[in-house]
Amino acid sequence: MINRRHFNKILVGSVALSFAACSSITNVSLPKDRKRVIVVGGGFGGATAAKYLKKFSPETEVILIEQNKEYYTCPFGNTVIAGINDIDYIKHDYKILESKYKVKVIHEKVKKLDGATNSVILENGDKIPYHKAIVSPGIDFKYEKGYVKGSEQFAPHAYKAGAQTTLLREQLEGMQDGGTYVMVAPANPFRCPPGPYERVSLVAHYLKTHKPNSKIIILDQKNSFSKQGLFQEGWENLYRDMIEWRSVEFGGKVLSVDPKRKEVTTEDEVVKADVLNYIPAQKAGQLAFDSGLTKGDWCPINTKTFESKLVKNIHVIGDATIARSMPKSGFSANSQGKVAALQITRLLKNKPVVNPPKLANTCYSLIAPNYGITVAAVYEAHEDGIKAIPEAGGLSPMGADPSFRALEAEYAVGWYQNQTADMFR
Ligand SMILES: Cc1cc2nc3c(=O)[nH]c(=O)nc-3n(C[C@H](O)[C@H](O)[C@H](O)COP(=O)(O)OP(=O)(O)OC[C@H]3O[C@@H](n4cnc5c(N)ncnc54)[C@H](O)[C@@H]3O)c2cc1C
């Protein structure tokens, strides 16, 4: 006899099955009546590209494949580490891309893209063909100098947001007053050039408020950094001697690291940390390597369309690319996502591509919740690379008064809300 509970179970099972059957787009041939574009990676580049493909060409079938159901942004992740915002502040999902823009979203890990058959191969073995693909896989880390797989549980990099962000936050909370927070900042090129220095600033804000006898040491693997004058002016104004920056030439060079003991050996000494935030050197996300899209550590692209120089019909955007003067930032990835979506729409309709496409980037950094600084640029893509248009952009001024900095901090929050709305809503 079938009781009510059993009946409900069967019903739920059959609903799930029929949904799987209806929404199954794997192992099928290409649609005959329209074009299919597959976007892999639902971060700043991929989520933007998927949404804008549907805006530019609603009739195109757009499939977004992203391994996680939730996306945690690195932007504003530093405010979570410093206890200014909760982790939910940086959490987003793909529901509106599905319901409002009719993007088909699949949460699976992609094994590779096969340029020979124009198809995406999932880790579960399914194969989905495409007319065009966009890949925005972000970054991966180079294990180096004793920082090996697993080291992130002792010395979090927190350079991919989510669990690592929370772990670094907890370690900071657990640190005693008078402790030392040591950051190893990576060599160029890496994701978000001002990111490490914004983080140090907000960690200093937390320590000044809660553990004022503590100190911060930055062991940098380079001799200068983005917005250096503005950051150092802010540190002098707000945190005085709390932050010590050591360039690679003057004491920063790391020879080896022991993440469990939280010890970093430099050319001069062994630096002991209470909290060790080790940010390793970086390279394109593993998927780019597995799909044959890399030359060296990053992906070469045709700068006008973002099509890979190595595999036809695959367009690569975001941090994984060699995009010349554009920094590896969320705003850059967003801007590149729109250009790639526009050019692909035109290519699929046999129209000439926009030439030269224009791109933009602005990076806000918070030195304290009410103290912001900015860098901005507008770019044009030419045959020999993406170039900043002279005079279109610049840095916020040195020596500005507190009300100016407070306004920039307000704009930073506005930027975050607009940018994430542009991706997910
Ligand atoms: C501390 C910090 C602060 C930052 N602050 C700013 C800021 O203020 N402003 C700014 O503009 N930028 C900022 N950034 C930089 C920004 O986070 C990156 O530039 C941006 O995320 C790059 O976007 P992306 O699409 O290339 O990669 P990501 O955003 O990393 O997206 C990649 C996506 O691909 C998915 N993926 C990868 N491989 C696979 C696979 N095999 N199968 C399925 N899915 C896969 C991943 O799950 C991920 O969701 C900051 C970064 C850091 C670390």
Side-chain angles (χ1 to χ4, degrees):
M1 195 183 123
I2 297 181
N3 63 25
R4 194 180 171 80
R5 212 168 132 239
H6 189 191
F7 177 75
N8 280 344
K9 252 190 180 172
I10 292 171
L11 201 64
V12 169
S14 60
V15 167
L17 264 178
S18 64
F19 176 75
C22 288
S23 64
S24 176
I25 32 183
T26 54
N27 290 321
V28 292
S29 51
L30 283 167
K32 294 217 165 48
D33 55 340
R34 60 210 152 121
K35 301 291 186 189
R36 173 183 287 166
V37 182
I38 299 185
V39 182
V40 183
F44 274 82
T48 308
K51 172 175 159 180
Y52 276 82
L53 276 164
K54 284 305 266 186
K55 272 168 102 71
F56 294 145
S57 175
E59 67 279 12
T60 300
E61 181 186 50
V62 178
I63 303 172
L64 174 64
I65 310 179
E66 161 58 49
Q67 59 195 343
N68 301 315
K69 291 208 165 126
E70 278 144 359
Y71 178 75
Y72 293 88
T73 61
C74 290
F76 273 70
N78 290 332
T79 68
V80 177
I81 291 165
I84 298 160
N85 286 311
D86 189 68
I87 188 79
D88 280 348
Y89 188 82
I90 59 167
K91 185 168 97 175
H92 303 269
D93 65 44
Y94 301 90
K95 292 193 178 110
I96 295 178
L97 284 187
E98 284 183 292
S99 60
K100 185 168 165 192
Y101 297 99
K102 311 298 173 207
V103 173
K104 291 183 182 171
V105 182
I106 298 177
H107 291 295
E108 290 285 349
K109 187 163 186 189
V110 172
K111 190 171 171 211
K112 66 169 190 167
L113 285 90
D114 179 13
T117 59
N118 280 356
S119 38
V120 172
I121 297 161
L122 303 182
E123 284 233 311
N124 67 16
D126 285 350
K127 197 170 170 177
I128 317 177
Y130 57 77
H131 292 99
K132 286 271 187 192
I134 298 181
V135 185
S136 192
I139 52 148
D140 268 312
F141 302 102
K142 291 184 178 180
Y143 291 118
E144 54 178 15
K145 301 170 187 173
Y147 196 83
V148 295
K149 206 166 186 189
S151 295
E152 52 274 17
Q153 61 183 299
F154 307 107
H157 50 71
Y159 233 61
K160 283 191 185 180
Q164 283 276 297
T165 315
T166 309
L167 179 60
L168 188 56
R169 164 82 199 135
E170 285 165 1
Q171 290 194 353
L172 198 57
E173 273 174 335
M175 190 176 102
Q176 78 281 14
D177 187 13
T180 307
Y181 175 101
V182 177
M183 168 188 277
V184 174
N188 291 322
F190 65 99
R191 159 174 283 183
C192 195
Y197 312 97
E198 180 193 66
R199 177 174 296 169
V200 155
S201 308
L202 293 182
V203 166
H205 169 76
Y206 168 78
L207 293 178
K208 188 179 162 186
T209 319
H210 300 282
K211 300 166 189 184
N213 299 309
S214 309
K215 66 174 181 174
I216 297 174
I217 299 173
I218 310 170
L219 301 171
D220 214 328
Q221 306 314 289
K222 52 194 173 298
N223 281 323
S224 60
F225 59 89
S226 169
K227 295 185 259 184
Q228 183 166 349
L230 286 166
F231 273 113
Q232 287 179 327
E233 182 184 67
W235 295 347
E236 185 58 28
N237 285 344
L238 300 179
Y239 308 121
R240 281 286 144 84
D241 298 330
M242 187 177 256
I243 302 171
E244 184 187 337
W245 176 69
R246 298 184 192 168
S247 69
V248 68
E249 201 178 341
F250 293 105
K253 185 170 182 181
V254 171
L255 301 180
S256 66
V257 58
D258 184 335
K260 258 192 199 169
R261 296 169 69 92
K262 300 192 200 312
E263 284 176 0
V264 186
T265 304
T266 67
E267 285 179 319
D268 304 328
E269 61 175 315
V270 175
V271 181
K272 181 97 189 79
D274 294 287
V275 173
L276 176 56
N277 177 198
Y278 191 98
I279 307 172
Q282 295 162 31
K283 57 182 180 174
Q286 188 56 41
L287 179 65
F289 288 87
D290 296 342
S291 307
L293 298 167
T294 49
K295 192 172 178 197
D297 286 334
W298 307 98
C299 304
I301 44 146
N302 171 329
T303 44
K304 290 189 191 292
T305 61
F306 286 86
E307 185 171 18
S308 164
K309 281 192 172 164
L310 305 176
V311 187
K312 234 181 128 26
N313 292 322
I314 299 180
H315 298 239
V316 191
I317 55 174
D319 286 356
T321 57
I322 301 167
R324 292 287 175 253
S325 53
M326 288 192 93
K328 296 185 186 304
S329 77
F331 197 138
S332 295
N334 168 278
S335 186
Q336 294 166 11
K338 289 172 186 169
V339 168
L342 180 64
Q343 305 291 45
I344 285 177
T345 302
R346 297 182 72 83
L347 287 169
L348 290 176
K349 292 180 179 170
N350 292 319
K351 289 186 179 169
V353 295
V354 174
N355 189 18
K358 292 201 170 46
L359 300 109
N361 176 63
T362 308
C363 272
Y364 286 93
S365 304
L366 294 173
I367 295 183
N370 62 352
Y371 190 120
I373 57 174
T374 341
V375 60
V378 182
Y379 305 85
E380 251 178 16
H382 295 279
E383 291 306 338
D384 55 339
I386 301 176
K387 293 177 183 168
I389 299 172
E391 312 298 329
L395 282 169
S396 50
M398 293 282 290
D401 64 39
S403 63
F404 187 96
R405 298 294 182 222
L407 211 51
E408 289 219 285
E410 237 180 84
Y411 295 157
V413 176
W415 171 84
Y416 182 76
Q417 285 165 356
N418 285 324
Q419 185 83 180
T420 51
D422 195 36
M423 295 160 67
F424 295 110
R425 288 201 289 280

